[in-house]
Amino acid sequence: MSLRLVRPEDRRYPALRSTYTTAGAPAAIALPESAAEVAAAIAHGRERGLDIAVRSGGHGLAGTSTNRGGLVIDLSALHDVAVADPAARLVRVGAGARWADVAAALHPHGLAISSGDHGNVGVGGIATGGGVGWLARWYGLTIDHVRAAEVVLADGRIVRADAEHDPELLWAVRGAGAGAGIVTAFEIEAARVRDVGVAQLLVAADQDGAALRRWASALREAPRELTSEVIMLHNGRSPVMRVTAVVAGGDPRRVREIVEPLRRIGKVLDHRVDRAPYPVLLPPSHKHPNVAQQPVTITNGLLPAMDGDAAEAVMALVRSGRALVQLRSLGGAIHDVDRGATAYPHRHQHTLVLASMFPPDGRAELDAAWRVLAGRVDGAYGNFEGRRDRPAFARVYPGPTGERVAAAWRRYDPGAVFRPYPI
Ligand SMILES: Cc1cc2nc3c(=O)[nH]c(=O)nc-3n(C[C@H](O)[C@H](O)[C@H](O)COP(=O)(O)OP(=O)(O)OC[C@H]3O[C@@H](n4cnc5c(N)ncnc54)[C@H](O)[C@@H]3O)c2cc1C
């Protein structure tokens, strides 16, 4: 089988060598157009002893979807999105599609899959890692709705994983797929949703974290149609919370009713509520080539509760002025899933806290700033974690989940061709 390889002398190479965070210099980039071509690319890399990096959208925050001197298997040509079974709302999605494409393709069918907050992120990274999207409290994580996957294993076998065929592989794909094989396509159960309510608020963030606590408790008590994300803005004076709240379903009265408690979390500086088709949140304008434009260093932690100490710790991190701090509401449908049902075991935490730093700050500065929160969080979400070491593995896959993930990775990829963390 002939391989579609892009080498450094090819004019397409500059737009394919890097990812969102990381400049790469691979020996070649394979652009397979079928699962069989993915298998051939794996064989090509293994026969030559090349490191193999797998890429769907190139937005991975650990920079693992490129390398130097190795082979990148770029799945962008595998981007079909098709409603396979309208009655069951079952959608077949190529791993190389971007979530903007998925939102646009499903909207005419009155369907959507909650994925993330950015349209350029790839299906493969989210649907094998988690997927904390704009409808997370209503829909759950993306992986919670993955019903089947087509996987190319390290030895070149092309297998289907679903509830009947190799359920252990499906279990691993749903949260720890990066270490199991290369997923070329997913069958995902979509939700019936066309429009959403979108509220945007700017709220003064009290130094002691009171507004943050009120945001977290409003979310805990809110109906699960509500999901919210906060970006903490710190301009050297008083921090401000930029709150985005998305309500599944666009009925204006219901949206206003659900969003209303957020107007009482603190001094509101600005506020608007709109109704929008779901794809407005993940527009085609998000799509762009990844050329190492954002060399971010990132970590995260999951908070079971936003008590006074936790809120003060988040505010201390914000006040340090070095890190960009973001928060995501969890709970709702995410908590409906048993912690052992997927390789994502974090089913009781209510808030995801992300901290990012940009050059010249790097890992050492981020670790130092994160120390205020490190002892208060319970686990981490792998897709927002830049580290790929043993302690990170233990935070992302704690306890029995970690043991089962490690066993699955050893079973499906005994030669550690794809191994995303040391185990
Ligand atoms: C701007 C931005 C916004 C984000 N917003 C969100 C958000 O709202 N919610 C959220 O949950 N996450 C979010 N993320 C994090 C996102 O989930 C991860 O970065 C994810 O890994 C990106 O997927 P990708 O396919 O683009 O990654 P890639 O860089 O292509 O891949 C990253 C790694 O994932 C694995 N992988 C990718 N595809 C496959 C596959 N087909 N089979 C097996 N393994 C594979 C490989 O190990 C690969 O190295 C965001 C990231 C960015 C940069």
Side-chain angles (χ1 to χ4, degrees):
M1 179 172 303
S2 73
L3 282 179
R4 299 162 213 279
L5 291 180
V6 173
R7 298 188 193 277
E9 58 277 12
D10 191 304
R11 62 184 171 75
R12 293 170 294 174
Y13 185 84
L16 288 169
R17 62 189 294 179
S18 300
T19 72
Y20 183 72
T21 63
T22 305
I29 301 133
L31 294 170
E33 294 186 0
S34 65
E37 289 185 11
V38 170
I42 297 171
H44 174 89
R46 295 194 71 178
E47 280 155 17
R48 287 158 185 77
L50 297 172
D51 282 344
I52 294 178
V54 180
R55 180 188 303 160
S56 289
H59 269 250
L61 290 158
T64 51
S65 57
T66 190
N67 58 29
R68 306 191 85 80
L71 176 70
V72 172
I73 302 181
D74 181 313
L75 305 171
S76 53
L78 300 171
H79 58 228
D80 287 349
V81 182
V83 179
D85 181 345
R89 304 190 305 276
L90 205 59
V91 181
R92 186 176 162 92
V93 192
R98 308 299 172 103
W99 286 105
D101 305 327
V102 180
L106 296 187
H107 188 66
H109 301 274
L111 299 175
I113 297 170
S114 179
S115 53
D117 68 353
H118 201 278
N120 202 45
V121 171
V123 165
I126 289 252
T128 56
V132 179
W134 282 124
L135 303 175
R137 293 183 70 253
W138 182 68
Y139 178 83
L141 304 176
T142 312
I143 55 162
D144 298 341
H145 300 269
V146 172
R147 301 288 175 247
E150 179 184 78
V151 188
V152 185
L153 300 177
D155 62 10
R157 276 181 299 145
I158 300 168
V159 297
R160 177 183 168 88
D162 61 24
E164 279 83 45
H165 311 90
D166 214 337
E168 191 60 16
L169 181 56
L170 181 65
W171 181 88
V173 162
R174 297 183 355 155
I182 301 183
V183 182
T184 46
F186 300 86
E187 287 172 19
I188 307 178
E189 194 177 316
R192 209 168 284 294
V193 63
R194 216 179 266 278
D195 289 347
V196 289
V198 184
Q200 288 166 299
L201 300 91
L202 274 186
V203 182
D206 310 272
Q207 297 283 358
D208 63 358
L212 201 52
R213 276 204 321 276
R214 286 193 287 267
W215 169 80
S217 74
L219 260 299
R220 262 185 104 134
E221 283 156 27
R224 53 177 60 189
E225 289 112 294
L226 183 70
T227 298
S228 179
E229 178 173 320
V230 176
I231 298 180
M232 305 297 295
L233 307 172
H234 185 51
N235 60 6
R237 300 195 307 275
S238 322
V240 170
M241 296 166 64
R242 193 169 86 198
V243 181
T244 304
V246 174
V247 181
D251 174 58
R253 188 183 297 174
R254 178 85 180 139
V255 169
R256 273 198 304 277
E257 189 182 300
I258 290 178
V259 164
E260 185 57 28
L262 291 176
R263 296 178 55 150
R264 296 193 291 271
I265 64 174
K267 185 179 171 201
V268 175
L269 309 172
D270 197 8
H271 173 230
R272 62 179 287 174
V273 182
D274 298 288
R275 176 187 180 149
Y278 176 76
V280 163
L281 296 169
L282 303 148
S285 58
H286 277 181
K287 288 175 66 178
H288 52 69
N290 286 317
V291 289
Q293 67 271 37
Q294 192 65 281
V296 61
T297 308
I298 191 166
T299 194
N300 76 89
L302 297 153
L303 282 172
M306 186 70 79
D307 57 19
D309 287 351
E312 277 183 29
V314 173
M315 292 310 296
L317 181 61
V318 172
R319 275 196 306 273
S320 75
R322 306 285 285 271
L324 171 66
V325 179
Q326 302 178 58
L327 299 103
R328 304 289 184 93
S329 63
L330 303 170
I334 298 174
H335 289 189
D336 290 348
V337 177
D338 188 86
R339 64 175 287 146
T342 70
Y344 180 96
H346 310 289
R347 302 295 181 169
H348 66 278
Q349 299 90 331
H350 283 273
T351 308
L352 166 63
V353 186
L354 317 176
S356 311
M357 282 196 185
F358 304 89
D361 286 334
R363 178 57 59 189
E365 290 78 10
L366 183 60
D367 285 350
W370 183 254
R371 227 164 269 144
V372 283
L373 260 173
R376 300 185 195 284
V377 293
D378 178 2
Y381 171 34
N383 279 18
F384 280 125
E385 180 55 60
R387 273 193 191 282
R388 285 288 179 268
D389 55 15
R390 274 178 212 275
F393 178 87
R395 285 185 289 120
V396 173
Y397 303 112
T401 300
E403 288 162 27
R404 194 167 163 188
V405 165
W409 288 355
R410 288 194 185 101
R411 172 172 165 195
Y412 295 106
D413 178 20
V417 175
F418 308 118
R419 194 77 33 98
Y421 297 84
I423 49 173

